[in-house]
Amino acid sequence: MTTIKSPLVKLLTLAAAGLSLAACQHGSVTEPAVSETVMRNEVKMVRLPFTIKAEDDDTTTPSSYTLAGVNLFLRSVNAGHADVVLLDAPNVDQARINEIAAHIKRGGFVYGGTSTLGAAPADGEITLYVERHIVVPPNCGFWRSETSSNDKNNASSFHGCASMANLGMMIANPRDLIAGQGNGNSTASAVGALYSPTPQSSGPTITMSLDGIANMPAPTSTRPSGGGDN
């Protein structure tokens, strides 16, 4: 007996077959399954604020008390070479901003200029921000089972997780994980220098001549004559 399936039944059969194939798919051989989350370092940016009050005498020159407060804040947040200091000062004289910026630069910090960040400061006040990037390493200790079949023997999403976490903890400037410094050719230049080193100068040279050495008299003995061995 011949059974004729309706077009709707055929369509449902094909859809079910497609779903089963999609569930078995595991992507490229070198990549984790599409259903897995690859372990990577997470880079977060935070801004630490500090309010610089206006001077009591309304002058633009920052007092020693004001500058000491800035220094104390920078030390309290352990501001370092990887941080950027920004100023939000919409209603402050430019001369005052310049003097505070110069003080920040003298302290060896990177000054990023002025920018509108967060809540607007009150008239005459400046909000100083320390912009910092931090690395949150992946949780390499959570070894959950595969959520899909691994017929292609693909690498697990945790493959290389420890190396990735170590890189995040060792890097001096986490911002470099987002965008490296320079024009992007620093790695190629470093590798090229290993295989094609720059010629170095040979230094001073000594020129020796052998002319006349063959005609030099033989050395004479300086042993005293006479007498025998005892």
Side-chain angles (χ1 to χ4, degrees):
M1 183 176 64
T2 303
T3 303
I4 301 176
K5 295 182 178 180
S6 65
L8 178 59
V9 174
K10 292 181 179 179
L11 181 60
L12 292 176
T13 303
L14 291 175
L19 289 175
S20 62
L21 290 175
C24 295
Q25 246 181 344
H26 210 268
S28 172
V29 176
T30 59
E31 297 177 355
V34 293
S35 59
E36 295 177 350
T37 301
V38 180
M39 299 291 99
R40 292 290 184 266
N41 287 313
E42 182 182 1
V43 181
K44 295 183 177 181
M45 190 269 290
V46 296
R47 292 192 180 104
L48 308 174
F50 173 73
T51 300
I52 302 176
K53 299 290 187 178
E55 302 299 329
D56 294 335
D57 56 0
D58 294 330
T59 59
T60 59
T61 302
S63 63
S64 58
Y65 176 81
T66 297
L67 298 180
V70 172
N71 294 339
L72 181 61
F73 168 73
L74 294 175
R75 285 197 301 268
S76 67
V77 298
N78 294 321
H81 74 283
D83 298 328
V84 178
V85 181
L86 302 166
L87 298 179
D88 188 358
N91 300 309
V92 177
D93 190 274
Q94 187 61 42
R96 180 173 175 81
I97 297 175
N98 293 340
E99 291 199 33
I100 295 177
H103 176 75
I104 294 171
K105 295 177 183 178
R106 285 194 299 269
F109 301 100
V110 178
Y111 176 64
T114 58
S115 182
T116 302
L117 304 168
D123 289 345
E125 294 184 354
I126 299 175
T127 303
L128 182 149
Y129 290 93
V130 173
E131 184 178 277
R132 174 176 300 168
H133 287 75
I134 58 176
V135 178
V136 180
N139 181 14
C140 299
F142 178 60
W143 293 90
R144 61 179 175 82
S145 59
E146 294 282 350
T147 58
S148 61
S149 63
N150 195 6
D151 297 335
K152 293 184 178 180
N153 197 26
N154 292 38
S156 170
S157 61
F158 291 87
H159 180 71
C161 184
S163 299
M164 184 67 63
N166 289 336
L167 173 64
M169 289 185 288
M170 290 187 299
I171 191 166
N173 188 351
R175 190 191 301 263
D176 293 342
L177 293 177
I178 302 175
Q181 301 182 19
N183 56 9
N185 296 323
S186 56
T187 302
S189 301
V191 174
L194 294 176
Y195 293 97
S196 302
T198 304
Q200 303 293 326
S201 59
S202 58
T205 57
I206 301 176
T207 303
M208 300 181 64
S209 176
L210 300 180
D211 296 341
I213 292 182
N215 299 324
M216 291 180 62
T220 59
S221 174
T222 58
R223 183 173 180 172
S225 59
D229 296 335
N230 292 332

